[in-house]
Amino acid sequence: MTRLDGAERRDAPHVAEVDDARNVLAVASVAAARATSSPVHGVPALSALGADLLRRGELDEAEPHLRAAAAAGDRAAVNNLGVLLHQRGRAEDAAACWRSAAVAGSAAAAHALGRYHRERGDESAACYWLRQSAEAGHTLGAYALADLLDHRGEDGAEAWFRAAAEGGHREAAHRVALHLLTDSDRGAQTAEPWFRQAASRGHSGAALHLGVLLEERGDTREAGRWYLIAAGEGEPGAACALGFLLRDAGNEEAAEEWWRRAAREGDGNAANALGALHAERGQRPEAERWYVAALEAGDINGAFNLGLLCAGQGREAQAEQWYRKAAYAGHTEAANALAVLLLQRGDTDGAEPWFSKAAEGGSVDAAFNLGILHSGRGALDEAMRWYRQAAEAGHAEAALQVGGSLLREGDENAAEHVLRRAAEGGSVEGAFRLASLLEHRSAGGPPQEGVPEYERWYADAAGAGHRRAQVRVGLCAAARGDVVEAARWYRTAAEEGSSSGAFNLGLLLVREGAEPEAALWWARAAEAGHGRAALQLALLTARRNELAESRRWCARAVELGPAAVAERAARLSDALHSELSA
């Protein structure tokens, strides 16, 4: 909107751009004349009266005074006459007035003329007049010039935003902060003071950005204060952010209230949050309503979440519909979810392009899934390409696949590096494989001080339920002589179905004199296919003179192997046969 000459300055004490002392006298003269209904005399007084009437919206009364003062050469009156004509819809006549005043040195008129040219698409002329205004120290001129330069991608925008901000323009301060925020060399630390400056002047968007910076820094208390200020100014994104802050603090009821407020104002993220909240409560119809509201607000996550909701209810056709809607709009995780749905249905050809689309859009899971897809086809080189891409992006299970491939190729150094990434990324199997590799490479070397690294990784995997790791932790404890700890891990593994755990637990129990319990665990192990457990049972029953039972376990051990066990069991069986035949 075009403003009166002098009114653009935030703290301008007068309207017309004339000498301060003359202006004070003119305003006083106008006030006295209006109080006594006397005629106004003098060009400055006419200009001031016209500006006062124009500010009040009394255009018909203002025009003759402004024309009279303008005809006498008062440049402020010429500018303000332009404002009046612009308000009457006579844009070309207004521009003529502004040009005249700008040529005479009116920075406000140059600003208005620059805005006029920009609105009509003449950016070169706009740039010229706005620069005249900005270089004369006009705050709004500096901001408008910066905005134009920024729009055109030209140098100098940030400098003029700074000039306008220093003149009190809050949006300019906000724009300086945004420029700094996108600069990796300067970043958030340099942007924060400018966000503070704009926010302290009532800029709700800057208050929101400041809250985000503070929350990322861990200062949730002050972040919440700025979110609250911005939300109070009608910024729905701040109300939404405040909701997340409250939820994280455990105040779900207050969070829901703020999300509802933001969602009512059209914030799709808040509507999605409400949908998730109701879905967690099992209130699926209400969740669906909010996800639809999010979608209607333009947040494509709403469609993706509707797909997840339908998939969780077994409504695959509807899930596919929502996933497709989100995927076509560029939602990478929806594209991946759609591909998974198609793959589960057996539609490999339909799944592959969606996996590719998602992977190209940056979905790490999709890249990993492409690896699985190509591996299943036997295209191992192509599979490994996708696994590497996912692994480089931090996918722990993809790193496990790459590490396994390197081990098969014999490159233990590279395998260790990749498996370490897998383990550190949370892959339980990755932790076990890394521990196995480290243990293998330490064999024959000097003893390590303290607990070996490989044992720590075994323990991590064991704690996450990895049965083979549990057995290895038990073996490590037994090697240290800690029978109690060894038995604990063997039992844990055995109870989870590990035949090796059951076998080793049986060995410990026999040493402790608990032979009957040992037999139970060996029986469980042998029935699960453990040949050594079957051999131990054969020996145990032979010592008890249960010869037929012993031969039965011998036969089982021969069947299960390995070769050394099978050979020993066969000899025992032959001996038992001879004894039974005697």
Side-chain angles (χ1 to χ4, degrees):
M1 180 179 125
T2 306
R3 302 183 63 179
L4 301 181
D5 190 1
E8 291 92 339
R9 288 192 180 275
R10 188 176 181 82
D11 300 315
H14 48 75
V15 176
E17 189 178 54
V18 293
D19 179 80
D20 285 349
R22 289 178 59 202
N23 185 62
V24 170
L25 293 172
V27 172
S29 174
V30 168
R34 289 174 72 87
T36 60
S37 300
S38 303
V40 175
H41 300 288
V43 172
L46 286 170
S47 179
L49 177 57
D52 184 52
L53 292 167
L54 181 57
R55 189 184 295 279
R56 293 166 180 265
E58 300 173 15
L59 304 189
D60 291 338
E61 291 80 1
E63 186 169 354
H65 300 298
L66 290 175
R67 286 192 178 277
D74 188 293
R75 70 178 185 185
V78 176
N79 175 70
N80 291 337
L81 179 59
V83 173
L84 184 148
L85 294 171
H86 189 268
Q87 291 182 11
R88 289 189 184 280
R90 295 167 58 185
E92 293 183 4
D93 292 338
C97 289
W98 288 329
R99 186 173 292 104
S100 176
V103 169
S106 170
H111 167 247
L113 188 57
R115 292 278 302 276
Y116 167 83
H117 283 298
R118 184 171 181 186
E119 288 168 3
R120 278 151 184 77
D122 189 349
E123 293 186 354
S124 296
C127 192
Y128 173 81
W129 288 111
L130 290 175
R131 192 174 295 278
Q132 297 298 311
S133 175
E135 289 177 349
H138 195 277
T139 297
L140 289 184
Y143 175 76
L145 175 60
D147 185 62
L148 178 58
L149 293 172
D150 195 35
H151 167 72
R152 299 175 74 175
E154 296 180 8
D155 293 336
E158 186 181 324
W160 286 113
F161 278 136
R162 285 177 182 268
E166 289 163 0
H169 197 293
R170 65 186 188 183
E171 175 59 24
H174 184 231
R175 296 285 288 275
V176 171
L178 292 177
H179 267 257
L180 292 170
L181 202 59
T182 58
D183 188 330
S184 59
D185 293 332
R186 294 178 292 180
Q189 190 171 359
T190 52
E192 184 181 333
W194 292 100
F195 279 134
R196 283 189 181 277
Q197 179 179 321
S200 64
R201 289 174 177 157
H203 194 293
S204 60
L208 170 58
H209 274 107
L210 179 57
V212 171
L213 288 184
L214 292 165
E215 185 178 358
E216 289 175 349
R217 202 167 66 199
D219 191 349
T220 55
R221 186 180 183 88
E222 190 181 0
R225 185 171 71 85
W226 284 109
Y227 286 151
L228 188 61
I229 290 170
E233 293 292 325
E235 187 70 45
C240 179
L242 186 57
F244 282 110
L245 209 60
L246 289 164
R247 182 206 61 183
D248 293 344
N251 193 344
E252 190 176 278
E253 184 178 349
E256 182 177 358
E257 181 181 338
W258 282 105
W259 283 335
R260 285 184 181 276
R261 177 171 172 176
R264 283 195 298 268
E265 294 174 9
D267 190 284
N269 194 23
N272 269 315
L274 285 167
L277 185 66
H278 287 290
E280 289 170 5
R281 294 172 178 171
Q283 300 165 342
R284 290 177 176 174
E286 188 70 2
E288 188 168 338
R289 184 174 76 82
W290 282 112
Y291 286 146
V292 169
L295 184 58
E296 290 172 349
D299 191 333
I300 199 60
N301 281 312
F304 176 56
N305 287 328
L306 281 165
L308 293 174
L309 190 68
C310 291
Q313 296 173 310
R315 296 154 55 194
E316 288 192 5
Q318 292 92 332
E320 181 181 346
Q321 175 189 351
W322 290 117
Y323 286 152
R324 284 188 183 276
K325 185 177 184 67
Y328 278 122
H331 196 293
T332 56
E333 293 310 319
N336 181 59
L338 174 60
V340 169
L341 192 67
L342 294 171
L343 192 62
Q344 290 171 343
R345 193 183 294 164
D347 186 1
T348 306
D349 292 338
E352 184 176 354
W354 286 112
F355 277 139
S356 297
K357 183 178 177 66
E360 288 163 4
S363 171
V364 180
D365 286 338
F368 177 65
N369 288 331
L370 274 171
I372 295 173
L373 187 70
H374 288 292
S375 180
R377 292 173 174 171
L380 299 183
D381 289 344
E382 184 67 7
M384 201 50 56
R385 182 173 76 85
W386 287 109
Y387 283 144
R388 286 194 185 94
Q389 178 174 318
E392 287 166 4
H395 196 290
E397 297 305 321
L400 171 63
Q401 295 299 321
V402 175
S405 174
L406 290 167
L407 278 177
R408 288 189 294 274
E409 293 169 4
D411 191 345
E412 291 188 353
N413 289 330
E416 180 184 338
H417 174 72
V418 178
L419 288 173
R420 192 176 295 279
R421 281 164 48 195
E424 291 171 349
S427 170
V428 177
E429 181 65 23
F432 175 74
R433 296 277 191 90
L434 174 62
S436 299
L437 176 60
L438 292 172
E439 184 179 22
H440 166 72
R441 299 180 80 185
S442 68
Q448 300 181 32
E449 293 184 7
V451 178
E453 185 187 3
Y454 65 79
E455 191 171 337
R456 293 198 298 271
W457 284 113
Y458 278 140
D460 279 359
H466 194 289
R467 291 180 298 180
R468 293 170 65 194
Q470 290 166 349
V471 173
R472 295 305 304 173
V473 173
L475 289 169
C476 291
R480 292 196 306 271
D482 191 344
V483 177
V484 174
E485 182 71 0
R488 182 174 76 85
W489 281 111
Y490 290 151
R491 189 178 296 276
T492 299
E495 288 173 349
E496 291 297 321
S498 168
S499 59
S500 293
F503 172 71
N504 288 323
L505 179 59
L507 292 177
L508 280 185
L509 289 167
V510 165
R511 291 173 195 166
E512 296 297 315
E515 198 172 81
E517 187 183 355
L520 292 175
W521 286 111
W522 282 337
R524 182 182 292 190
E527 287 163 2
H530 199 289
R532 287 187 176 88
L535 178 59
Q536 289 298 324
L537 282 167
L539 293 168
L540 179 63
T541 51
R543 287 197 299 272
R544 292 175 178 173
N545 206 32
E546 299 171 3
L547 303 186
E549 183 69 3
S550 180
R551 286 201 71 199
R552 185 175 75 82
W553 285 116
C554 282
R556 182 66 171 154
V558 170
E559 177 188 348
L560 295 173
V565 168
E567 182 181 348
R568 187 178 175 190
R571 289 200 306 267
L572 177 59
S573 180
D574 290 342
L576 291 170
H577 176 71
S578 298
E579 189 170 338
L580 285 168
S581 301

